Amino acid sequence: EIVLTQSPDFQSVTPKEKVTITCRASQSIGSSLHWYQQKPDQSPKLLIKYASQSISGVPSRFSGSGSGTDFTLTINSLEAEDAATYYCHQSSSLPITFGQGTRLEIK
Amino acid sequence: EVQLVESGGGLVQPGGSLRLSCAASGFTFSSYSMNWVRQAPGKGLEWVSYISSSSSTIYYADSVKGRFTISRDNAKNSLYLQMNSLRDEDTAVYYCARGRPSYAFDIWGQGTMVTVSS
């Protein structure tokens, strides 16, 4: 099973700040890494697919990078509505696995 | 509008059974693979099961193998999860999500809560 480890687990940030969340895979997964945003009492929403591909309707301040074992989700100029938990997800091999999540709090 | 709507959750005793449903609309359901993903209270996401568009390929997480059965009815645009021998640790919100195992999950339902407790 491929283990995904996110860092940090929690981050408190101010609006307009730049945020970086990392996801490390226990073995190489190429670009088969996706990012989701989950707000309280809502279902997850796809933000980035295949490490860096943008999703229609997602604000351009969200971007992704990386390949192999190390991946990054970047949020430029954070807005209050970005308060949420962010998860990475690998689709390289079964079982499908998710990172433990990174909770972003807006100060 | 592309939409997935889960139903069938509730309170069940350990050892009991429950059948979840997921109704799809706004897209050609029969062309898409589907999944169940769960989230225990205050915890992260856990993939549960996958079914291909034609039901020819099915996968399960080890934690539910032999107890849960995924199925679909393309004529009714519906996905199902039959859950037997339920345990306390199966307590979670269960989401249906669209996507193949090698793809991102691009559409998620709102979830249905399953509570296993005596």
Side-chain angles (χ1 to χ4, degrees):
Chain A
E1 173 176 321
I2 295 174
V3 177
L4 299 178
T5 303
Q6 293 181 229
S7 61
D9 290 332
F10 172 81
Q11 192 169 4
S12 184
V13 293
T14 56
K16 299 186 180 180
E17 198 174 328
K18 177 181 177 179
V19 172
T20 298
I21 298 170
T22 65
C23 178
R24 175 162 289 176
S26 59
Q27 63 190 75
S28 180
I29 58 173
S31 296
S32 298
L33 191 286
H34 320 290
W35 291 97
Y36 301 85
Q37 176 193 64
Q38 186 178 34
K39 295 182 179 180
D41 298 319
Q42 294 187 17
S43 56
K45 171 189 174 183
L46 180 62
L47 288 180
I48 299 288
K49 64 180 181 180
Y50 296 107
S52 61
Q53 295 182 20
S54 59
I55 302 298
S56 175
V58 174
S60 58
R61 62 182 181 275
F62 292 93
S63 63
S65 64
S67 66
T69 60
D70 294 304
F71 301 86
T72 299
L73 173 69
T74 301
I75 311 174
N76 284 298
S77 192
L78 194 77
E79 297 190 8
E81 66 180 25
D82 299 334
T85 300
Y86 294 82
Y87 293 94
C88 56
H89 151 219
Q90 69 81 19
S91 61
S92 175
S93 66
L94 292 173
I96 291 162
T97 51
F98 294 86
Q100 82 278 13
T102 294
R103 186 164 72 90
L104 276 188
E105 174 190 86
I106 311 300
K107 293 178 184 175
Chain B
E1 180 191 4
V2 175
Q3 197 172 9
L4 297 170
V5 179
E6 300 93 335
S7 60
L11 175 64
V12 61
Q13 292 187 340
S17 298
L18 211 54
R19 188 194 195 205
L20 306 183
S21 299
C22 169
S25 59
F27 65 98
T28 305
F29 179 71
S30 59
S31 296
Y32 288 87
S33 301
M34 298 295 296
N35 300 266
W36 287 99
V37 178
R38 68 184 180 184
Q39 186 171 35
K43 302 297 184 182
L45 301 168
E46 179 189 14
W47 170 77
V48 172
S49 184
Y50 159 86
I51 187 167
S52 63
S53 58
S54 65
S55 304
S56 59
T57 302
I58 286 174
Y59 301 119
Y60 296 100
D62 286 347
S63 58
V64 306
K65 200 173 294 182
R67 300 187 299 122
F68 289 11
T69 301
I70 191 172
S71 63
R72 65 190 295 161
D73 185 336
N74 287 340
K76 294 183 177 180
N77 292 332
S78 293
L79 173 73
Y80 305 103
L81 187 66
Q82 177 67 43
M83 304 185 295
N84 298 330
S85 304
L86 283 162
R87 306 167 180 168
D88 290 350
E89 56 264 35
D90 295 319
T91 294
V93 174
Y94 284 74
Y95 298 101
C96 57
R98 189 177 79 173
R100 298 179 186 177
S102 59
Y103 287 24
F105 295 165
D106 62 344
I107 305 295
W108 296 64
Q110 87 289 348
T112 186
M113 182 70 203
V114 173
T115 303
V116 184
S117 175
S118 54

